[in-house]
Amino acid sequence: MKKRDVIIACDFASAAETFRFLDRFESEKPFVKIGMELYYAEGPAIVREIKRRGHPIFLDLKLHDIPNTVRKAMAVLSRLDVDMCNVHAAGTIEMMRAAREGLTRPDGTRPLLIAVTQLTSTSQERMQRELLVNATMDETIVRYALNTKEAGLDGVVCSPLEAGMVKKACGRDFLTVTPGIRFADGDAGDQVRITTPARAREIGSDFIVVGRPVTAAADPVAAYRRCVVDFVGTM
Ligand code: C5P
């Protein structure tokens, strides 16, 4: 796995659609994010098949439940050979610790485990009004990131705009995986806290997660390459 990379959010409804998309890439094997829609539709078989084709995988199921349930669910997921998976930091330090314990394989290895701070579709106004969180968005993100570090996880999912302050609070080695990426000339859609691939690199993202700007592009391979060049520097 590369230290800095572009992860494509394969938010497709079926295996057929996913492979039609992945077949467009010839020799490149982009890092693929499998989210709830695809996983719930196709189950673990889709993970095994994408892995067999040589793609690194981020299994984005955002677990959030009582610690015992999360521990056991992670133990099952650890048998899938994914490279990264995640939980919600809102589940508390105890839940995150349980996730990490459950995820570890008998040989001591495990995928990277990261925690979602606040979804990049959530605005501070909605967080305060609907969730009764009185802190600011930045305070919440930093606190969730520190909790994640304390629980022994590898990093967080956050907006690219927050990657710098997360690194400052948790250290350079603490990973930031950032969705909410848009080209300067693209559509924001439902995302609120967004920036471009190049700016995400400047702020300190380790991995950017890009969905619709690639999957809905007229030429997805070209859009992916544009992200890689802007974010990583070279193809
Ligand atoms: O299409 P778009 O680029 O907005 O896709 C972003 C992806 O990142 C989606 O799969 C979404 O579920 C995911 N994500 C997010 N914000 C988070 C965590 C994950 O947008 N905080």
Side-chain angles (χ1 to χ4, degrees):
M1 198 184 353
K2 296 179 194 141
K3 286 189 89 172
R4 174 186 295 161
D5 209 353
V6 174
I7 304 177
I8 304 179
C10 284
D11 293 326
F12 298 113
S14 69
E17 233 184 302
T18 307
F19 293 127
R20 219 175 303 131
F21 172 75
L22 291 178
D23 285 345
R24 287 166 166 271
F25 295 86
E26 288 159 15
S27 53
E28 296 130 287
K29 297 288 178 189
F31 204 131
V32 164
K33 181 172 89 69
I34 300 174
M36 295 183 198
E37 184 185 14
L38 188 56
Y39 190 78
Y40 292 154
E42 301 288 352
I46 185 89
V47 178
R48 294 194 189 98
E49 179 55 22
I50 294 177
K51 193 75 199 181
R52 195 192 61 73
R53 289 173 176 230
H55 298 268
I57 296 179
F58 170 18
L59 186 58
D60 177 25
L61 298 181
K62 300 187 181 72
L63 276 67
H64 187 175
D65 208 316
I66 59 171
N68 186 51
T69 301
V70 170
R71 179 186 295 105
K72 291 198 283 189
M74 279 297 182
V76 176
L77 293 183
S78 71
R79 290 182 225 137
L80 290 173
D81 188 18
V82 300
D83 300 273
M84 189 185 286
C85 58
N86 63 354
V87 295
H88 267 286
T92 74
I93 295 172
E94 191 192 351
M95 188 208 76
M96 290 192 275
R97 279 205 184 109
R100 192 180 182 283
E101 282 163 22
L103 192 63
T104 306
R105 303 182 184 110
D107 66 1
T109 63
R110 64 172 174 82
L112 290 173
L113 178 58
I114 56 177
V116 177
T117 53
Q118 285 285 356
L119 296 173
T120 42
S121 55
T122 305
S123 65
Q124 175 166 295
E125 198 260 327
R126 280 184 177 273
M127 181 189 78
Q128 294 179 336
R129 181 162 46 88
E130 297 177 18
L131 307 180
L132 302 185
V133 173
N134 285 321
T136 64
M137 179 62 76
D138 287 2
E139 286 164 348
T140 312
I141 305 284
V142 166
R143 181 57 195 263
Y144 281 18
L146 288 167
N147 289 353
T148 302
K149 190 175 179 189
E150 190 176 331
L153 274 56
D154 304 294
V156 289
V157 186
C158 62
S159 156
L161 302 172
E162 292 139 9
M165 73 186 183
V166 166
K167 293 274 185 188
K168 198 165 163 223
C170 300
R172 257 202 308 168
D173 294 341
F174 190 72
L175 298 177
T176 54
V177 179
T178 65
I181 298 294
R182 292 295 179 265
F183 292 120
D185 49 6
D187 239 1
D190 56 353
Q191 295 282 23
V192 177
R193 301 185 338 268
I194 56 173
T195 194
T196 62
R199 185 76 191 117
R201 182 190 56 195
E202 284 162 18
I203 304 173
S205 298
D206 296 291
F207 295 90
I208 54 171
V209 176
V210 191
R212 289 160 290 181
V214 169
T215 56
D219 184 344
V221 176
Y224 168 72
R225 289 182 182 152
R226 184 178 169 193
C227 284
V228 174
V229 169
D230 287 0
F231 182 66
V232 185
T234 51
M235 266 310 290

